[in-house]
């Protein structure tokens, strides 16, 4: 449908604007994203600053904490001449690294999220979930995620963001835009490309 195509296309400048609003961070991650509505889709990219930290070394079988801190961002009030009402249902995947065992995860900080974020282990991913809604024009910051791990017996523990393709995304959300006076939900999903290593810990 033409209407759905306009809605999906309207997401492109919205997310590019949000990327430019990100605060400086040690690494900038580029996500490839695809927004879809009523059978129509639009591909685009989103840059997101991320600060991450972990100890340089850990004893075999020892415990360690990895922290991942997304940079602040902003939702614009309009994109491509269309009103941005809100985004909602955001989920960010953080895989449990090889050579380690998940013990627990917690959240700290965050602002302007429109709802209470949660973190939980789902399969082999630690998933940060933000129900929202985050209104158009609002500043927001995702919370810092701390993941507590137990090291294996040898090797290295490297942390990365989740997602390898549109079919196996690491970032998903729904954007609600106004088209001809009506709200339209456009589902977005994506993955980091390239997907850099955020932290490296040597076991030994």
């Amino acid at each position: 449908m033409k209407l759905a195509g306009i809605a999906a296309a309207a997401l492109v400048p919205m997310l590019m604007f949000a990327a430019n609003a990100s605060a400086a961070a040690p690494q900038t991650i580029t996500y490839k994203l695809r927004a879809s509505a009523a059978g129509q889709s639009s591909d685009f990219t989103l840059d997101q600053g991320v600060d991450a930290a972990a100890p340089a070394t850990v004893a075999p079988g020892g415990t360690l904490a990895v922290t991942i801190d997304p940079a602040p961002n902003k939702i614009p009030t309009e994109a491509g001449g269309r009103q941005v009402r809100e985004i909602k249902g955001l989920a960010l995947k953080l895989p449990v690294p090889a050579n380690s065992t998940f013990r627990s995860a917690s959240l700290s900080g965050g602002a302007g999220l429109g709802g209470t974020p949660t973190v939980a282990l789902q399969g082999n991913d630690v998933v940060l979930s933000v129900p929202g809604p985050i209104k158009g024009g609002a500043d927001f910051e995702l919370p810092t995620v701390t993941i507590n791990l137990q090291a294996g017996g040898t090797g290295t523990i490297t942390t990365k963001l989740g997602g390898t393709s549109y079919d196996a995304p690491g970032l998903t959300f729904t954007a609600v835009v106004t088209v001809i006076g009506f709200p339209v939900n456009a589902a977005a999903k994506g993955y980091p490309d390239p997907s850099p290593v955020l932290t490296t810990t040597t076991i030994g």
Side-chain angles (χ1 to χ4, degrees):
M1 294 176 60
K2 183 177 180 181
L3 178 64
I6 293 172
L11 291 178
V12 178
M14 179 189 81
L15 291 168
M16 291 299 287
F17 182 95
N20 292 335
S22 296
Q27 293 201 61
T28 298
I29 311 300
T30 298
Y31 275 90
K32 286 187 175 179
L33 287 163
R34 175 169 292 168
S36 302
Q40 300 285 327
S41 64
S42 178
D43 295 346
F44 51 97
T45 61
L46 166 65
D47 290 342
Q48 174 63 55
V50 176
D51 190 1
T57 61
V58 63
T63 59
L64 69 153
V66 177
T67 59
I68 299 173
D69 183 12
N73 225 320
K74 183 181 181 69
I75 304 298
T77 56
E78 65 90 22
R82 310 293 177 183
Q83 179 189 7
V84 178
R85 295 193 175 196
E86 63 190 33
I87 67 169
K88 59 185 179 180
L90 184 148
L92 178 68
K93 291 183 178 180
L94 307 168
V96 175
N99 301 320
S100 72
T101 301
F102 173 83
R103 291 306 181 199
S104 64
S106 61
L107 302 177
S108 61
L113 300 175
T116 302
T118 59
V119 64
L121 182 67
Q122 298 180 16
N124 198 47
D125 294 310
V126 177
V127 180
L128 167 62
S129 300
V130 179
I134 307 173
K135 299 297 184 181
D139 294 303
F140 73 98
E141 183 176 4
L142 296 176
T144 298
V145 182
T146 299
I147 304 173
N148 297 303
L149 304 170
Q150 182 174 0
T154 186
T156 59
I157 298 170
T158 58
T159 58
K160 301 176 72 174
L161 294 171
T164 57
S165 68
Y166 295 128
D167 293 327
L171 174 65
T172 58
F173 59 89
T174 298
V176 183
V177 297
T178 299
V179 180
I180 316 178
F182 296 96
V184 175
N185 289 339
K189 58 184 180 179
Y191 60 99
D193 183 33
S195 182
V197 170
L198 299 179
T199 69
T200 300
T201 300
T202 300
I203 302 172

